[in-house]
Amino acid sequence: RKAENMPPFDAPRLDPFLHKRKIKGPLDIAQCQAHEKAVPFHQRALQKIDIKKTADAPSLLCIIYTYKAHHTKNARTAAETWLPRCDGAVILSDQSDQNEGIVGVPHEGKEEYNNIWQKQRSNWRYIYEYYRDDFDYFHIGGDDTFVIADNLRSFLARPEIREQNDAGKPLYLGRRMKVGGNANHLFNTGGAGYVFNRAALELFYDSLDEPFCAPHRHGFYEDVLVADCFKNGPSHLVPVDTRDASGAERFHMLNPGQHLAYRRAPKDWVTTYSFDLLEGLD
């Protein structure tokens, strides 16, 4: 690795169980509605969701990335609702905030939408340096993400997933999509968040500064660049189909109400980028 290509690594380790101690009881609909970016008044869609607990589920670290202006808004709301339901949780930002349990992680370039790729490069480096041996899986998403941790763990505990993980294969899981409708250029959309297992985390970390991972690119399309980094690297890892037996998606990049109301449209990006898109409660 060419460490000189990364900013100085001076971000302190955040206790991954800090937010877990904030749990005050079962997550109910009122708490969900408080997460206004993810589930504002979408009861019909939420009624479709069954919460599934799996006894022998793998451990999951949930990561959200944010910035200072959202510390007491989106980040706080996530920390008070779904985030503590993960086995561990960290909130990464451009500035540290002890009151909110947030750590600032430096990255190359400005803190801006058009530089999320550099922000994510540093975020994943931080996760690898501090937590790579502490959890089985790592889910990352923006501060408007909402994860049902029990269901994600249940999915990761499925025999076909567990078998690959136990064999040491890198797993990069999420909502598989096609860049511009090109089925040969796949990525897992960042809007839904995506998951690495330990093997994928190590693979990504080891590739971060390689030319095929665009180490100095500045752009908002970090999810596409993550996929390109895996595909162009030594393992040629690509996104896989994570839909259930009915063809329904497990990872969603829009909020529940939007998915419920969405209808296929040939020129719309959701239709163009998706595989065999279902509609309504399906």
Side-chain angles (χ1 to χ4, degrees):
R1 283 182 47 77
K2 300 178 284 298
E4 65 274 11
N5 286 342
M6 296 292 282
F9 191 75
D10 57 3
R13 183 182 190 275
L14 188 67
D15 177 4
F17 308 110
L18 173 67
H19 297 288
K20 197 172 185 66
R21 291 193 284 270
K22 298 178 181 178
I23 293 179
K24 298 178 181 178
L27 186 61
D28 59 25
I29 189 68
Q31 289 177 293
C32 289
Q33 288 176 349
H35 197 290
E36 60 184 2
K37 286 287 185 179
V39 281
F41 313 109
H42 301 299
Q43 290 94 330
R44 279 194 65 207
L46 289 170
Q47 287 170 359
K48 182 71 173 177
I49 299 172
D50 295 323
I51 307 299
K52 301 176 181 178
K53 290 183 178 290
T54 301
D56 191 26
S59 59
L60 173 67
L61 178 69
C62 293
I63 310 126
I64 62 171
Y65 58 93
T66 188
Y67 64 107
K68 183 181 178 182
H70 278 188
H71 284 189
T72 59
K73 298 176 182 178
N74 297 29
R76 177 184 291 177
T77 303
E80 292 176 347
T81 54
W82 68 267
L83 195 61
R85 270 75 190 172
C86 302
D87 297 290
V90 292
I91 304 176
L92 309 182
S93 184
D94 58 321
Q95 296 185 32
S96 293
D97 187 333
Q98 289 187 347
N99 291 333
E100 301 296 331
I102 297 172
V103 65
V105 179
H107 61 74
E108 176 184 305
K110 296 180 180 179
E111 175 64 31
E112 61 182 8
Y113 178 69
N114 200 41
N115 198 29
I116 297 179
W117 170 232
Q118 291 300 326
K119 186 180 183 78
Q120 289 294 68
R121 290 181 71 247
S122 291
N123 287 344
W124 278 119
R125 181 190 183 200
Y126 178 92
I127 296 303
Y128 178 86
E129 295 282 359
Y130 285 133
Y131 309 113
R132 63 182 181 270
D133 296 323
D134 297 336
F135 300 92
D136 300 312
Y137 288 92
F138 308 83
H139 178 282
I140 196 166
D143 60 17
D144 56 351
T145 307
F146 193 99
V147 176
I148 300 177
D150 284 327
N151 286 7
L152 180 53
R153 278 190 293 254
S154 292
F155 168 63
L156 298 172
R158 290 178 63 86
E160 66 272 22
I161 302 294
R162 189 185 294 273
E163 181 179 347
Q164 294 181 71
N165 183 64
D166 290 347
K169 295 181 179 180
L171 295 175
Y172 162 50
L173 306 169
R175 172 70 170 263
R176 183 184 60 157
M177 304 194 85
K178 303 172 285 188
V179 177
N182 182 358
N184 293 315
H185 193 182
L186 305 179
F187 71 108
N188 286 324
T189 176
Y194 47 86
V195 179
F196 294 172
N197 67 350
R198 286 184 193 170
L201 176 62
E202 181 174 359
L203 178 65
F204 189 69
Y205 177 86
D206 288 341
S207 301
L208 274 174
D209 291 326
E210 299 297 336
F212 59 79
C213 275
H216 299 294
R217 181 84 55 85
H218 289 202
F220 64 87
Y221 43 96
E222 58 85 19
D223 46 8
V224 174
L225 291 171
V226 167
D228 289 350
C229 182
F230 277 130
K231 182 179 180 179
N232 298 328
S235 71
H236 304 296
L237 184 65
V238 295
V240 297
D241 190 353
T242 58
R243 292 173 293 181
D244 67 16
S246 72
E249 298 283 358
R250 288 186 167 97
F251 294 80
H252 306 279
M253 66 283 184
L254 307 177
N255 66 43
Q258 288 173 321
H259 280 291
L260 181 64
Y262 186 82
R263 294 298 179 264
R264 290 185 291 270
K267 295 184 179 180
D268 186 74
W269 76 270
V270 174
T271 299
T272 302
Y273 280 53
S274 296
F275 284 88
D276 303 321
L277 190 65
L278 301 179
E279 295 179 344
L281 286 174
D282 292 331

